[in-house]
Amino acid sequence: MVDQLRKRDDSGREPRALTDEGGNPLRCCLRRSAPGEALLLASYAPLRRWAMETGADPGAYEELGPVFIHANPCQEPSPGYPVAMGGDRRVFRTYRADGTILGGQFVEARQSADPVAATALLDVLFDDPEVALVHVRAVEFGCFIFEARRPQPLGPQRLS
């Protein structure tokens, strides 16, 4: 996904190159940028990409918005809640399996900054069987920060 965005973003344009002053949320590796890093500003349609994988049809709920990514390949994000993406007020927006919005939960900065509290809230949201996907978004700008997908149940384990 990120390699595609580096060439052509989801609006069909070439992403805009910039040298960062630091602190921007990087959607490729889910950390904050450092001063002087070579970045790209690209249009991204997170529901469109999820729908292509799942067969959902978000229709009018498909959004296109700006994201910062590294200009060159970088390290994959670590598993679990990305602490560097918290610390500000967030909205955890829930979606049904068909791609329509189900609801949203306002998250205070202190809960957003606490990976245990934020993960617990995600777990509560996924307790609702209708929730297929959660978008974590910035309150002030509404920007997409990252997504959390419904955890997959463990299947039968083979002995090796």
Side-chain angles (χ1 to χ4, degrees), residues 13-134:
R13 296 184 185 100
E14 191 174 315
R16 182 177 299 167
L18 54 104
T19 302
D20 196 51
E21 294 179 12
N24 282 309
L26 296 168
R27 294 352 186 273
C28 47
C29 54
L30 298 179
R31 69 168 177 82
R32 298 285 177 164
S33 63
E37 285 190 286
L39 303 182
L40 297 172
L41 182 58
S43 292
Y44 180 63
L47 275 181
R48 179 187 308 166
R49 290 179 179 272
W50 174 75
M52 288 188 311
E53 292 177 31
T54 64
D57 181 11
Y61 292 103
E62 181 181 286
E63 297 175 89
L64 191 65
V67 294
F68 292 99
I69 59 174
H70 278 113
N72 298 303
C74 60
Q75 186 175 350
E76 289 283 320
S78 298
Y81 186 82
V83 177
M85 298 290 101
D88 295 318
R89 297 179 305 162
R90 300 283 184 240
V91 170
F92 287 18
R93 187 187 295 170
T94 58
Y95 292 87
R96 293 179 183 90
D98 66 1
T100 58
I101 294 174
L102 179 60
Q105 175 74 45
F106 176 75
V107 180
E108 292 284 354
R110 69 182 181 288
Q111 186 175 17
S112 166
D114 179 348
V116 173
T119 299
L121 175 55
L122 287 169
D123 289 343
V124 167
L125 294 173
F126 282 120
D127 281 345
D128 181 341
E130 279 198 271
V131 175
L133 179 73
V134 177

Side-chain angles (χ1 to χ4, degrees), residues 2-9 12-15 40 69:
V2 177
D3 287 336
Q4 293 171 351
L5 286 177
R6 288 185 180 110
K7 296 173 188 136
R8 183 134 331 264
D9 70 16
R13 296 184 185 100
E14 191 174 315
L40 297 172
I69 59 174

